[in-house]
């Protein structure tokens, strides 16, 4: 139900719909894309970045908000924590209870390791749960991992670490089989074949989905498996610092009970950081599609312990965040809506781009349409363009929306908008951290032995822009692999004396660099109340 202010524009969109469905908008050339990104993509706004002065990435630029956290004080001092009596002593400590952490824990457990998950909220409270449109895997006869590689490598501006991307695409078909064997209900046709669709930048239909709640279905299954295996999960307990041993290897973490603030020590032979993304940092003031706990914690923990970041200056703004109504501002409108045929149109009802360009290009195009082409509508939360959802029913037939994207239908229905009959208003929303901690293909950080990273906290798998569906894939592929390698590594690891001397050393480098700050990190939760953060 839209108010009067949108009436004329809605009429224009409706009048142009039949013609717009038939339209096949041209793809942009590489030069057009580069020009567009440089002028409109938030990653290219140099004034929104600071240069790090301390730590392994000194000299690199990162968003202001991340710079503040990476160069902040620890929540503890070396002297304030008693490392001599650990509350937990395990082979593999998994920090994070999303899809990557759960996959890692399952595989480590299957390999016979004594594994434990700690998570600052509850298992499943993670971006995995909020992923909608699907997971990529080249498992159809017209496709191959090589073609998948080419799509993702180009989409990521040829910056992905080849060995990581290669592992991602080669292990993808098996990842789908693994998930199916655990009980994920992927969409299938009447003959039992997986239904696959396109995403932005894919040259083959390889997006496997469970309607438009693919991440929730995957997380449901992984969580069940963790619980069935009786893997210990310590909820509402945040890791606030990594512990090393006297030879510099990762050897556990200092934990904080989120309610009582009690500190606990977890000793471990190997540690897996699977802490997820950073949408709740609201870089450049953007709303976010991310989970409440997405505050870049893993980057901070790893960085202070000496692990290097890769591409931490690149973020993904999902082109279609809900822009109206206010209650769902920034929430994800899955790319699958465009895969099913909906096109982006401006306030005059004009299609202004191909709907399945890669995400960075699509987001920049929407921003340009609003900022410089008078194509946006004012919503009260800035400007927005239309995503013409009724096209889906006209292309795929009545009932397509309810069958394929029921969660989208329900989300807007709550506010009186029937997406089968009316278009929706969208604008880019902060969605994904392309960069993160550098790893080798076995998931270990090159600089800190026995420290593994999986999921959104990793940088380099996707280069400088990720394609839809490659994140649900990477949490499975690299989560499983980290679990297997961490378990194997734990078998021949003897932990030396535990130490937090790196925390003291980092504090000294801050002082030497003349950095004066009141900030403490990791942030753990966003602070919407403007009260002092705990
Ligand atoms: O990979 C993603 O980010 C994804 C599946 C999002 C979506 O549009 O549904």
């Amino acid at each position: 139900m839209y108010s009067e202010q949108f009436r004329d524009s809605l009429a224009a969109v409706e009048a142009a719909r039949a013609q717009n469905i038939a339209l096949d908008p041209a793809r942009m050339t590489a030069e057009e894309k580069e020009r567009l990104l440089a002028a409109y993509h938030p990653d290219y706004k140099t004034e929104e970045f600071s240069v790090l002065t301390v730590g392994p990435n000194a000299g690199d630029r990162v968003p202001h908000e991340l710079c503040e956290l990476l160069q902040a004080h620890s929540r503890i001092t070396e002297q304030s924590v008693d490392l001599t009596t650990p509350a937990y002593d395990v082979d593999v400590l998994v920090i994070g209870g999303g899809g990557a952490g759960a996959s890692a824990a399952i595989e480590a457990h299957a390999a016979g390791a004594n594994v434990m998950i700690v998570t600052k909220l509850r298992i499943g409270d993670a971006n995995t749960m909020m992923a909608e449109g699907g997971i990529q895997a080249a498992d159809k006869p017209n496709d191959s991992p090589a073609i998948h590689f080419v799509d993702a490598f180009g989409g990521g501006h040829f910056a992905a670490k080849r060995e990581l991307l290669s592992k991602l695409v080669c292990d993808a078909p098996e990842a789908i089989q693994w998930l199916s064997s655990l009980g994920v209900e992927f969409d299938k046709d009447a003959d039992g074949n997986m239904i696959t669709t396109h995403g932005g930048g894919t040259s083959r239909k390889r997006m496997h989905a469970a309607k438009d709640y693919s991440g929730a279905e995957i997380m449901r299954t992984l969580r069940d498996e963790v619980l069935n295996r009786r893997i210990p999960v310590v909820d509402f307990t945040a890791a606030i610092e990594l512990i090393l041993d006297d030879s510099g290897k990762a050897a556990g973490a200092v934990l904080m009970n989120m309610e009582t603030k009690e500190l606990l020590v977890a000793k471990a032979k190997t540690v897996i950081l699977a802490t997820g993304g950073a949408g709740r940092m609201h870089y450049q003031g953007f709303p976010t599609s991310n989970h409440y706990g997405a505050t870049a914690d893993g980057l901070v923990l790893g960085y202070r312990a000496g692990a290097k970041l890769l591409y931490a200056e690149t973020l993904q703004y999902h082109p279609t965040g809900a822009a109206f109504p206010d209650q769902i501002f920034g929430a994800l409108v899955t790319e699958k809506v465009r895969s099913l045929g909906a096109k982006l149109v401006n306030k005059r009802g004009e299609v202004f781009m191909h709907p399945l360009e890669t995400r960075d290009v699509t987001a920049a195009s929407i921003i340009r349409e609003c900022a410089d082409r008078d194509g946006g509508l004012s919503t009260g939360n800035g400007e927005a363009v239309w995503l013409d959802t009724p096209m889906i029913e006209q292309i795929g037939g009545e009932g397509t929306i309810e069958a394929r994207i029921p969660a989208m239908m329900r989300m807007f229905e709550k506010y009186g908008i029937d997406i089968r009959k009316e278009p929706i208003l969208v604008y880019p929303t902060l969605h994904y951290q392309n960069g993160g901690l550098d790893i080798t293909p076995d998931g270990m950080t090159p600089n800190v032995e026995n420290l593994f990273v999986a999921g959104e906290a990793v940088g380099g798998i996707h280069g400088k822009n990720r394609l839809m569906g490659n994140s649900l894939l990477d949490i499975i592929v690299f989560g499983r692999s980290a679990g297997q390698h961490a378990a194997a590594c734990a078998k021949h690891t003897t932990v030396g004396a535990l130490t937090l001397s790196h925390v003291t050393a980092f504090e000294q480098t801050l002082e030497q660099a003349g950095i004066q700050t009141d900030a403490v990190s990791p942030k753990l939760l966003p602070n919407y109340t403007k009260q002092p953060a705990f």
Side-chain angles (χ1 to χ4, degrees):
M1 181 84 73
Y2 290 107
S3 56
E4 211 41 47
Q5 70 184 114
F6 301 126
R7 286 283 156 220
D8 289 351
S9 179
L10 273 168
V13 173
E14 196 144 304
R17 185 166 295 136
Q19 199 183 321
N20 282 342
I21 288 175
L23 204 70
D24 186 16
R27 297 263 185 185
M28 284 179 223
T29 63
E31 292 73 32
E32 281 168 342
K33 287 182 195 176
E34 286 313 320
R35 274 201 304 275
L36 174 72
L37 291 171
Y40 296 97
H41 194 279
D43 280 358
Y44 293 72
K45 285 188 155 186
T46 46
E47 70 277 15
E48 297 288 348
F49 294 82
S50 305
V51 175
L52 287 163
T53 47
V54 301
N57 286 76
D60 289 355
R61 64 179 199 122
V62 293
H64 296 314
E65 301 85 344
L66 180 59
C67 187
E68 184 181 42
L69 289 192
L70 291 172
Q71 301 191 151
H73 301 292
S74 173
R75 288 172 173 270
I76 54 166
T77 62
E78 190 177 351
Q79 293 72 31
S80 64
V81 183
D82 175 11
L83 298 176
T84 58
T85 48
Y88 306 100
D89 189 349
V90 295
D91 295 334
V92 180
L93 174 66
V94 178
I95 301 172
S103 300
I106 292 165
E107 289 293 353
H109 185 262
N114 169 13
V115 55
M116 177 176 98
I117 297 176
V118 290
T119 171
K120 67 182 172 185
L121 295 168
R122 300 160 305 177
I123 183 166
D125 287 339
N127 281 347
T128 300
M129 195 64 123
M130 309 184 71
E132 294 172 353
I135 170 168
Q136 287 202 45
D139 57 3
K140 293 272 167 95
N142 71 339
D143 201 0
S144 71
I147 303 174
H148 188 175
F149 183 99
V150 170
D151 287 349
F153 199 51
H157 299 275
F158 309 97
K161 281 179 86 169
R162 285 163 189 262
E163 62 277 26
L164 299 185
L165 184 55
S166 173
K167 180 173 175 59
L168 181 82
V169 299
C170 290
D171 291 2
E174 212 267 313
I176 298 290
Q177 282 169 24
W178 184 69
L179 288 171
S180 292
S181 74
L182 292 180
V184 172
E185 297 275 3
F186 286 112
D187 295 341
K188 300 198 184 73
D189 65 19
D191 297 325
N193 301 311
M194 296 265 189
I195 297 173
T196 50
T197 49
H198 272 300
T202 63
S203 62
R204 300 289 186 279
K205 291 183 176 177
R206 68 171 79 90
M207 201 71 57
H208 301 62
K211 303 198 185 297
D212 55 349
Y213 38 79
S214 309
E217 171 63 2
I218 289 173
M219 194 68 239
R220 173 193 73 76
T221 310
L222 295 174
R223 179 169 51 191
D224 280 355
E225 185 64 15
V226 167
L227 300 179
N228 286 343
R229 286 175 175 270
R230 300 191 194 291
I231 296 171
V233 179
V234 185
D235 281 338
F236 297 113
T237 302
I240 57 168
E241 213 61 76
L242 291 175
I243 298 171
L244 304 181
D245 76 359
D246 51 8
S247 64
K249 292 200 287 285
V254 178
L255 311 178
M256 183 183 82
N257 180 304
M258 293 291 280
E259 197 183 354
T260 63
K261 313 292 176 286
E262 182 192 5
L263 297 184
L264 298 162
V265 169
K267 180 179 175 186
K269 290 179 178 153
T270 55
V271 178
I272 302 176
L273 280 174
T275 47
R280 293 285 162 172
M281 299 291 293
H282 295 288
Y283 297 133
Q284 301 192 29
F286 272 82
T288 186
S289 59
N290 277 194
H291 191 267
Y292 191 60
T295 50
D297 300 349
L299 273 50
V300 171
L301 298 184
Y303 197 69
R304 215 176 265 146
K308 216 168 171 240
L309 299 167
L310 190 58
Y311 305 143
E313 75 284 12
T314 69
L315 282 306
Q316 179 162 87
Y317 298 83
H318 194 294
T320 57
F324 182 89
D326 287 355
Q327 294 92 326
I328 51 170
F329 181 51
L332 181 62
V333 172
T334 176
E335 193 165 317
K336 191 169 174 186
V337 174
R338 282 173 286 138
S339 306
L340 293 173
K343 289 190 176 117
L344 290 158
V345 291
N346 64 21
K347 71 174 183 192
R348 295 177 290 278
E350 298 156 349
V351 170
F352 56 89
M353 62 170 305
H354 191 288
L356 287 176
E357 295 281 11
T358 53
R359 281 186 179 167
D360 51 354
V361 170
T362 311
S365 215
I366 294 173
I367 293 171
R368 175 177 64 184
E369 199 61 25
C370 294
D372 276 349
R373 293 190 167 177
D374 191 27
L377 280 150
S378 194
T379 63
N381 285 310
E383 302 248 302
V385 296
W386 294 108
L387 181 56
D388 198 5
T389 45
M391 287 182 172
I392 297 173
E393 298 274 288
Q394 294 194 14
I395 295 165
E398 206 176 311
T400 307
I401 286 184
E402 185 157 19
R404 304 290 299 278
I405 46 171
M408 283 298 97
M409 197 174 102
R410 273 198 300 276
M411 178 162 88
F412 284 93
E413 208 169 51
K414 279 190 198 150
Y415 304 103
I417 297 168
D418 183 346
I419 70 170
R420 295 169 298 188
K421 303 196 176 93
E422 296 169 299
I424 55 182
L425 285 161
V426 295
Y427 193 79
T429 185
L430 181 55
H431 182 61
Y432 188 75
Q433 171 178 264
N434 295 316
L437 292 160
D438 190 19
I439 58 166
T440 53
D442 63 4
M444 204 193 279
T445 61
N447 324 58
V448 184
E449 213 180 316
N450 289 6
L451 178 62
F452 293 79
V453 192
E456 199 171 336
V458 173
I461 301 172
H462 309 284
K464 298 190 173 184
N465 174 60
R466 177 181 64 80
L467 300 189
M468 171 192 184
N470 274 349
S471 172
L472 279 179
L473 177 59
D474 93 41
I475 61 168
I476 304 302
V477 167
F478 287 94
R480 294 180 69 195
S481 170
Q484 290 156 0
H485 284 99
C489 194
K491 283 193 181 136
H492 58 76
T493 292
T494 310
V495 179
L498 301 187
T499 174
L500 286 166
S501 58
H502 58 286
V503 174
T504 308
F506 196 85
E507 191 64 41
Q508 282 162 357
T509 60
L510 290 179
E511 213 175 295
Q512 282 154 11
I515 294 172
Q516 291 180 344
T517 175
D518 293 332
V520 291
S521 62
K523 191 174 168 78
L524 304 181
L525 292 175
N527 183 12
Y528 295 124
T529 60
K530 304 278 183 231
Q531 301 294 316
F534 61 81

